[in-house]
Amino acid sequence: MTILPFPDSGPTGAARRTRTGKAMDVILHIGAHLCATTTFQDYLHQNRTRLAASGCAVWGPRRTRHGLFAGLMPDDRPLSGRDGAPRAAGRIRINLAACAEAGAQRLIVSDPGVMGAPRVNLRLGGLYCGLGERMARLGRAFDGYRLTVALNIRALDAYWAAVLSQAVTRGAGVPSAAALERLASAGRSWRDVIAEVAGAIPGADLVVLPFETFGGRPEAQLEAIAGLAAPRTHARGWLNATPRLPELRAWLPKPEAALLPPDDDRWRPFSEAQAATLREGYADDMMWIIGGAGGIARLAGDPDRKQAADPIPPHRNATRGICDDKEDRRLAGAG
């Protein structure tokens, strides 16, 4: 196998990469959870034959979680205590080379598990704490390929409501008022997540896809991140939908079930003031992204809508953090 150098994909500051084997672009769809990611993965799986015919290969959880990514993340460390990341990276590179040699021009890797787990978000009271190390490990495993990182985000009040609903179905019970206040006032937002991903995988094209635009539209999401004509078959399934209140009440003992609202809608656990705080934080994040995200990420355009203007292109000199970031946020709001 020949390793061929190729020029940096961006201006000064981008990480220098090498392309291994045949030319193949890699799209890392990292989540986030509960942003219609399961629906998107099922759409890719159902259309895998059609996509393969167009030169697009797909690795979903059916592959990544059955040995391919074993040992890659810090929480995958075996009982021996040895770091399995180098071996996992080698395993991934072998599979990448085989995929490229088979003629794939593009590979989509979709697994939100690489970001962490929603239950850990609840325990720590914040969005994907410790994400930087996880993304750095992921980036090193795919070093040598042109990378696009696709990240789904969602309004924070809706995201946390979905996480809490899922937790109820897994035995967590109804959260206390203190727990809800902790989530509403945590302060860590999608902007922090985006900054950590960009800093950990420098040189990648980081694309942000809001759930409000792409949720339930997997074909539009595929076109936005891969730039290809997406098949319309299996495009209107909806998997792993957030359970509604009747289902949640069925999971709870009667005393706890009585704490939930009596209607049949989705559960809205936050008070009006808490929900407003979370929505305001998400609005600030969206304004920052629309404004160019400081050059480290870009907002995915809706392929079904004509764009009013060219998006602000990201630059490639991302770092792991900016020392005055918090001060900037206080002074400028949306950045």
Side-chain angles (χ1 to χ4, degrees):
M1 182 175 64
T2 304
I3 299 178
L4 300 175
F6 73 104
D8 292 335
S9 57
T12 303
R16 188 167 190 84
R17 298 180 180 274
T18 55
R19 184 184 298 153
T20 305
K22 294 184 178 180
M24 182 175 69
D25 296 334
V26 177
I27 300 169
L28 301 176
H29 175 239
I30 61 175
H33 298 87
L34 301 171
C35 294
T37 50
T38 305
T39 298
F40 181 60
Q41 289 161 352
D42 183 70
Y43 166 79
L44 294 177
H45 179 72
Q46 296 290 349
N47 286 288
R48 63 192 182 280
T49 303
R50 292 182 178 87
L51 293 174
S54 66
C56 181
V58 176
W59 294 355
R62 291 175 176 85
R63 182 164 187 176
T64 60
R65 298 182 187 181
H66 288 80
L68 183 60
F69 280 11
L72 183 62
M73 294 302 164
D75 44 9
D76 294 339
R77 186 163 296 184
L79 294 177
S80 64
R82 297 178 62 183
D83 187 359
R87 176 169 290 187
R91 187 187 312 119
I92 290 168
R93 290 180 189 127
I94 291 172
N95 282 266
L96 284 169
C99 191
E101 292 296 335
Q105 301 168 355
R106 183 183 292 106
L107 169 65
I108 301 176
V109 183
S110 180
D111 188 349
V114 298
M115 293 184 72
R119 67 180 182 277
V120 178
N121 290 349
L122 278 181
R123 186 173 73 247
L124 299 179
L127 289 169
Y128 300 104
C129 300
L131 182 63
E133 180 184 356
R134 302 180 71 89
M135 291 297 100
R137 286 170 174 246
L138 183 69
R140 284 194 294 269
F142 287 87
D143 190 31
Y145 293 82
R146 285 192 301 260
L147 293 180
T148 297
V149 179
L151 172 68
N152 299 103
I153 63 175
R154 186 177 187 177
L156 288 169
D157 58 326
Y159 172 80
W160 285 119
V163 172
L164 290 166
S165 297
Q166 183 187 74
V168 166
T169 66
R170 296 179 180 182
V174 177
S176 65
L180 293 174
E181 180 59 30
R182 182 187 179 202
L183 292 177
S185 60
R188 182 170 168 85
S189 68
W190 294 116
R191 176 172 177 170
D192 302 297
V193 169
I194 291 166
E196 287 195 25
V197 174
I201 314 180
D205 180 21
L206 177 51
V207 186
V208 181
L209 303 105
F211 173 84
E212 294 77 15
T213 300
F214 293 96
R217 299 173 62 213
E219 79 290 352
Q221 179 163 310
L222 178 60
E223 290 182 11
I225 66 175
L228 52 79
R232 266 37 184 183
T233 54
H234 307 287
R236 287 300 173 264
W238 195 274
L239 279 69
N240 200 28
T242 302
R244 293 180 176 269
L245 283 164
E247 183 179 348
L248 295 180
R249 286 193 289 268
W251 279 94
L252 293 168
K254 286 187 177 180
E256 281 197 85
L259 299 175
L260 298 179
D263 56 71
D264 296 339
D265 204 349
R266 298 197 187 280
W267 183 31
R268 297 178 178 84
F270 297 102
S271 68
E272 286 297 326
Q274 290 169 337
T277 297
L278 291 167
R279 287 193 294 268
E280 181 180 3
Y282 185 63
D284 287 346
D285 289 344
M286 287 301 301
M287 288 179 64
W288 175 71
I289 297 166
I290 292 169
I296 63 174
R298 62 182 174 89
L299 183 68
D302 187 341
D304 294 336
R305 293 186 180 182
K306 185 177 181 180
Q307 300 299 307
D310 291 336
I312 299 174
H315 57 69
R316 303 298 183 201
N317 59 346
T319 61
R320 289 186 179 272
I322 301 173
C323 60
D324 61 347
D325 181 68
K326 293 185 181 300
E327 286 75 11
D328 284 347
R329 193 177 310 177
R330 294 192 191 102
L331 290 171

